[in-house]
Amino acid sequence: MSLLRTAAGPAGLLLLIALAALVSRPLMPIDETRYVGVAWEMWLSGDHLVMLKNGEPYSHKPPMLFWLINLGWNLFGVNEAWPRLVSLLASWGGMLLTAALARRLWPGDVRSEAAALWILASTGLWMLSSTLVMFDVPLAVCVLTGLLGILKASDGAMLRGFLLLALAIGLGVLTKGPVVLLHLLPPALLAPWWRPGLAWRRWYGGLGLAVLGGALLALAWAVPAGIRGGEAYRHAIFWGQTANRMVKSFAHQRPLWWYLPLLPALLFPWLLSPALWRAALDLRRQSGFDSGLRFCLCWASPVFVAFSFISGKQVHYLVPLMPAFALAAGRLTARIERASLAVPAGLFAVAGAAMSFFALAGMPGKPGAWEAVPLWPGLLVMLLAALAFWQGGRPQRWMPALAGLSAGSYLLLHLYIADHAFARFTVEPLAAAVRHWQEQGAAVANLGRYHDQFQFPGRLRQPVTELTAANVTPWLTQHPDGIVVAYLDTRRDKIEPREFLARQPFRGKQAYLMTVDQARASGVLGSIPASNQDEE
């Protein structure tokens, strides 16, 4: 079975999900709008060394994602679709690399390879991440490339393998920073367990040279960027961001066990499949872990433990571990001909019934809340659940059936919430209004922390001033005819402006565009928040 034929079905599922996301929701504030906004400012400035956010040097993330977005804009013109397809293309690349790893771990076992791809393409966290403008799926591609290099080196091609590892480390640092080493070093350092018999002096020497080579590749950007960006920017990219994030991450933001209760949802529906658990128990009783499963264990376990101990936790940190789960689960379940899908199909059927109930009964709330949703997506989810349950009893059909149920339901969920996703999360109306007033010569300011959320949706060519308690009075004095963007929770705040230029929902609040006089009269300037949005 050729690689393209093996990957065609899973890749098609991801394509359908990505297209559904494109038509059913906008760029989501604050992360997606911020990152595309930084790419937009790179496009405007033409500077590919020092990124800008709202006109100021931006050191929180390396440049790779912004380079990829600008590359696509150079080829296809500036548009919203391309940035949202970068993760899909990276996801496809990650699937091909996962297949390549499967062939190295279990040569000749085509069924394990195919199973890993079906599982990866339909696992909850991977599906979600493949539709977001984020760094984690591109980082996963770098991690998988490095792991392929480690396997090549362990099979005897040390020069080619460690060169590939060095390339992966360098690109990984340029994608999301030194965290790539956390993903790659554990399986490399633990190689004596999963691949006995290597020449360890050569192995660890080659590993050290690969890390050095990757660092030099990353420095090819960091050194000229630090020179051009100045002392503060140089300190941030070489030391400040990494050190500060590590210090802050131990501030007990989330407990040690925080990831554990999320795993059933992140690995849904496969972790809840009885077939997977039975296969794991049977394998352990019969022959234990083979070399490939040991490799997956050395890859995923140390990273998961490390992220659990680091208190600054985010769900998307685990995205590069999804191929490890897919490979191990694919290996365990590849020999299963038939499997009962009663449990996952039943859960999906219940979810479809709930969707249909809310469509029939309506969802009460204020204007703009969830007042009406379509009936047909919920009905189709129930139909998919019934089809998957039926196919589970047919030879070699249960895995594509469960993958199709998972991906199809995820696609239908996008369409189910489409109208409300655009109404509640799009920032284009207010961004267009901000651009209009900037083009009229007015100074526009954001009350509280500003995360570039209007820059790309409004195609702004000027920064938006961020108003804080320290600069609000001088700015108001200097710009009596200025325009202010304010954010209020009208359910709790006693202030609700009667006069304003524009208004729209924004992340559970109402965003208002007002003149300075309207802002003074409404009282919104009396209390300036430290931040309107989450920290990066």
Side-chain angles (χ1 to χ4, degrees):
M1 186 184 298
S2 70
L3 177 57
L4 292 179
R5 182 180 174 185
T6 303
L13 293 181
L14 289 174
L15 175 61
L16 292 176
I17 291 170
L19 293 177
L22 279 174
V23 302
S24 64
R25 67 168 181 82
L27 288 168
M28 301 292 285
I30 58 175
D31 287 332
E32 288 191 298
T33 51
R34 171 174 55 210
Y35 298 142
V36 181
V38 172
W40 167 246
E41 294 193 49
M42 177 181 284
W43 174 266
L44 290 178
S45 69
D47 188 345
H48 293 80
L49 287 177
V50 179
M51 288 79 69
L52 300 176
K53 172 178 165 286
N54 198 35
E56 297 293 329
Y58 177 74
S59 60
H60 285 261
K61 292 292 188 292
M64 182 60 72
L65 179 64
F66 312 119
W67 287 347
L68 293 174
I69 293 174
N70 274 259
L71 175 62
W73 283 345
N74 275 288
L75 294 174
F76 310 116
V78 175
N79 60 82
E80 181 183 318
W82 170 254
R84 300 177 64 180
L85 291 175
V86 168
S87 285
L88 171 66
L89 297 176
S91 181
W92 282 349
M95 290 176 58
L96 296 178
L97 288 166
T98 299
L101 286 175
R103 293 188 174 192
R104 287 230 166 226
L105 293 172
W106 304 290
D109 189 355
V110 179
R111 296 179 67 175
S112 292
E113 175 189 343
L117 295 186
W118 282 116
I119 292 171
L120 180 61
S122 57
T123 298
L125 183 56
W126 190 265
M127 289 192 297
L128 172 64
S129 302
S130 297
T131 67
L132 296 175
V133 186
M134 297 283 281
F135 301 84
D136 304 283
V137 179
L139 175 64
V141 172
C142 299
V143 171
L144 291 166
T145 301
L147 293 170
L148 186 59
I150 291 173
L151 288 178
K152 285 179 179 288
S154 71
D155 288 336
M158 283 200 175
L159 179 59
R160 285 182 295 169
F162 284 129
L163 283 175
L164 190 59
L165 177 60
L167 176 65
I169 291 173
L171 295 179
V173 172
L174 292 174
T175 299
K176 205 181 176 182
V179 69
V180 68
L181 293 172
L182 179 59
H183 290 278
L184 290 174
L185 288 183
L189 294 173
L190 295 173
W193 186 55
W194 56 264
R195 185 60 59 86
L198 291 178
W200 299 119
R201 289 186 179 180
R202 289 186 60 203
W203 177 263
Y204 288 116
L207 177 60
L209 291 175
V211 173
L212 178 60
L216 292 175
L217 179 59
L219 288 173
W221 161 75
V223 169
I227 294 173
R228 178 176 295 182
E231 182 177 355
Y233 185 77
R234 185 163 55 249
H235 179 268
I237 63 175
F238 278 103
W239 173 253
Q241 286 306 313
T242 300
N244 290 342
R245 287 176 188 272
M246 290 301 296
V247 171
K248 291 178 182 179
S249 68
F250 285 98
H252 305 291
Q253 298 169 7
R254 286 176 175 140
L256 177 70
W257 48 262
W258 187 77
Y259 283 122
L260 292 175
L262 296 177
L263 287 179
L266 300 180
L267 302 178
F268 189 81
W270 302 98
L271 198 62
L272 300 184
S273 171
L276 174 61
W277 292 103
R278 285 198 305 269
L281 292 174
D282 290 343
L283 184 71
R284 185 58 182 168
R285 283 198 300 264
Q286 294 172 8
S287 58
F289 292 102
D290 60 28
S291 176
L293 289 174
R294 289 184 180 186
F295 177 85
C296 293
L297 193 63
C298 291
W299 166 12
S301 298
V303 181
F304 184 81
V305 170
F307 279 134
S308 296
F309 274 96
I310 296 173
S311 63
K313 299 177 179 65
Q314 295 288 352
V315 166
H316 55 83
Y317 292 172
L318 302 183
V319 170
L321 297 183
M322 293 302 102
F325 169 77
L327 285 165
R331 175 64 169 174
L332 293 175
T333 57
R335 298 296 183 274
I336 298 177
E337 293 285 340
R338 297 177 175 88
S340 172
L341 300 184
V343 173
L347 291 174
F348 277 107
V350 170
M355 293 165 63
S356 302
F357 171 79
F358 286 124
L360 291 171
M363 302 181 71
K366 293 182 179 181
W370 297 73
E371 297 168 330
V373 286
L375 175 63
W376 61 271
L379 297 177
L380 285 182
V381 169
M382 290 190 286
L383 177 60
L384 285 176
L387 290 174
F389 177 75
W390 173 52
Q391 290 293 312
R394 304 183 68 182
Q396 301 182 17
R397 295 288 185 88
W398 75 275
M399 190 164 288
L402 185 52
L405 172 60
S406 178
S409 298
Y410 188 73
L411 182 155
L412 290 168
L413 180 62
H414 273 84
L415 301 178
Y416 181 72
I417 65 173
D419 290 344
H420 295 283
F422 269 100
R424 297 164 71 88
F425 294 108
T426 183
V427 296
E428 288 189 2
L430 206 59
V434 169
R435 176 173 180 171
H436 167 77
W437 287 104
Q438 283 188 340
E439 290 176 342
Q440 299 302 311
V444 180
N446 189 82
L447 195 63
R449 189 178 176 99
Y450 179 63
H451 285 278
D452 243 25
Q453 61 263 30
F454 302 131
Q455 298 304 118
F456 179 76
R459 306 299 194 271
L460 305 187
R461 295 178 176 271
Q462 302 174 42
V464 173
T465 302
E466 185 176 289
L467 289 185
T468 65
N471 70 351
V472 60
T473 300
W475 189 89
L476 294 174
T477 302
Q478 187 176 358
H479 303 283
D481 298 325
I483 305 296
V484 175
V485 183
Y487 307 86
L488 298 174
D489 188 341
T490 56
R491 296 166 298 182
R492 295 198 303 263
D493 293 335
K494 296 181 180 180
I495 301 171
E496 184 166 4
R498 296 182 178 180
E499 295 185 2
F500 48 84
L501 302 174
R503 180 182 69 179
Q504 72 162 80
F506 182 80
R507 301 183 74 230
K509 298 183 179 182
Q510 289 290 318
Y512 294 87
L513 191 69
M514 296 177 283
T515 65
V516 166
D517 291 338
Q518 290 171 344
R520 291 183 188 276
S522 66
V524 300
L525 299 175
S527 177
I528 298 181
S531 174
N532 294 310
Q533 295 92 17
D534 299 330
E535 293 292 332
E536 191 169 354

